[in-house]
Amino acid sequence: QSALTQPASVSGSPGQSITISCTGTSSDVGGYNYVSWYQQHPGKAPKLMIYEVSNRPSGVSNRFSGSKSGNTASLTISGLQAEDEADYYCSSYTSSSTSVVFGGGTKLTVL
Amino acid sequence: EVQLVESGGGLVQPGRSLRLSCAASGFTFDDYAMHWVRQAPGKGLEWVSGISWNSGSIGYADSVKGRFTISRDNAKNSLYLQMNSLRAEDTALYYCAKDDTYNWNDGGFDYWGQGTLVTVSS
């Protein structure tokens, strides 16, 4: 199964907002509200930031928000902070292979 | 506190087998689906397999279908991954992850272990 498409890198200055896109197809992102986003710092396990497109788990800052339009999901981080610098991955259920697929990951750099 | 502790990784020759285990604690294990996710050195995340709360529904990535088998023992609060016919491309850190629902195909992975490293090499 093909990975979801994410930009390899994005960057922003402290206090700014950035958006990371995650593009799939009607068999995954566009067809189901089962998109999740994960943050991974170097050498650490991933952390769930958003589930079911736009829901935030308890304890995750409200600076993180998720949305979806058609076959593209997005993660927006507002009020960028230095600790937001990490790799971000999206995932979705896909009916094309009855499995879960991840995006290739996006490295966020806080300038 | 939710804890997921993986074990069973190591160095194995191509074509051989390995069985990973994940010991879960801090939550009602049989209420939730569970997953295995791997990450090759320096690479991104790859979902490997998921299993529903009662083992009634299971999914696999195409890359491991027919070679890997996921299972769980709710009485022991444990998740397993039997890996057969291992290949060099299976070399990765294998994470055990808890789903936030009872089905494997509709939730997010809300807790992760620290991973166990599998190296396939002659």
Side-chain angles (χ1 to χ4, degrees):
Chain A
Q1 57 273 50
S2 299
L4 305 176
T5 301
Q6 297 181 232
S9 63
V10 298
S11 63
S13 299
Q16 288 186 332
S17 294
I18 63 94
T19 297
I20 299 172
S21 62
C22 171
T23 301
T25 69
S26 58
S27 295
D28 40 65
V29 173
Y32 304 90
N33 288 326
Y34 298 144
V35 177
S36 299
W37 289 92
Y38 301 88
Q39 175 192 66
Q40 187 179 34
H41 287 109
K44 300 294 186 182
K47 176 186 177 183
L48 179 66
M49 306 303 285
I50 296 288
Y51 66 98
E52 292 175 5
V53 177
S54 59
N55 294 306
R56 254 189 330 272
S58 173
V60 172
S61 170
N62 59 9
R63 297 186 299 104
F64 292 82
S65 62
S67 63
K68 187 181 82 167
S69 178
N71 296 335
T72 298
S74 299
L75 173 71
T76 298
I77 309 174
S78 59
L80 267 180
Q81 299 179 0
E83 60 260 36
D84 298 333
E85 185 162 293
D87 293 324
Y88 291 85
Y89 295 90
C90 62
S91 74
S92 173
Y93 170 74
T94 176
S95 59
S96 63
S97 56
T98 318
S99 65
V100 174
V101 63
F102 278 95
T106 298
K107 181 176 179 58
L108 169 61
T109 300
V110 180
L111 303 170
Chain B
E1 177 193 7
V2 172
Q3 286 199 338
L4 299 170
V5 181
E6 303 94 337
S7 61
L11 174 63
V12 61
Q13 293 179 328
R16 302 298 290 265
S17 299
L18 209 57
R19 189 194 197 207
L20 305 183
S21 299
C22 172
S25 61
F27 65 101
T28 305
F29 184 70
D30 54 10
D31 276 353
Y32 297 95
M34 297 292 295
H35 301 262
W36 289 100
V37 178
R38 68 185 181 184
Q39 187 167 34
K43 302 297 184 182
L45 301 174
E46 180 186 16
W47 179 80
V48 173
S49 183
I51 185 168
S52 66
W53 68 282
N54 65 350
S55 304
S57 178
I58 287 174
Y60 295 100
D62 287 346
S63 58
V64 306
K65 203 170 291 184
R67 299 187 299 123
F68 290 10
T69 302
I70 192 172
S71 63
R72 63 189 294 162
D73 185 336
N74 287 347
K76 295 183 178 180
N77 289 350
S78 293
L79 175 72
Y80 306 101
L81 185 68
Q82 177 67 42
M83 304 185 296
N84 299 332
S85 303
L86 282 162
R87 306 167 179 168
E89 53 264 37
D90 295 319
T91 293
L93 185 64
Y94 283 72
Y95 291 105
C96 165
K98 172 188 169 293
D99 200 295
D100 62 1
T101 75
Y102 55 87
N103 282 327
W104 66 264
N105 58 353
D106 60 6
F109 308 160
D110 57 357
Y111 289 92
W112 298 63
Q114 289 304 305
T116 186
L117 182 62
V118 173
T119 303
V120 184
S121 175
S122 54

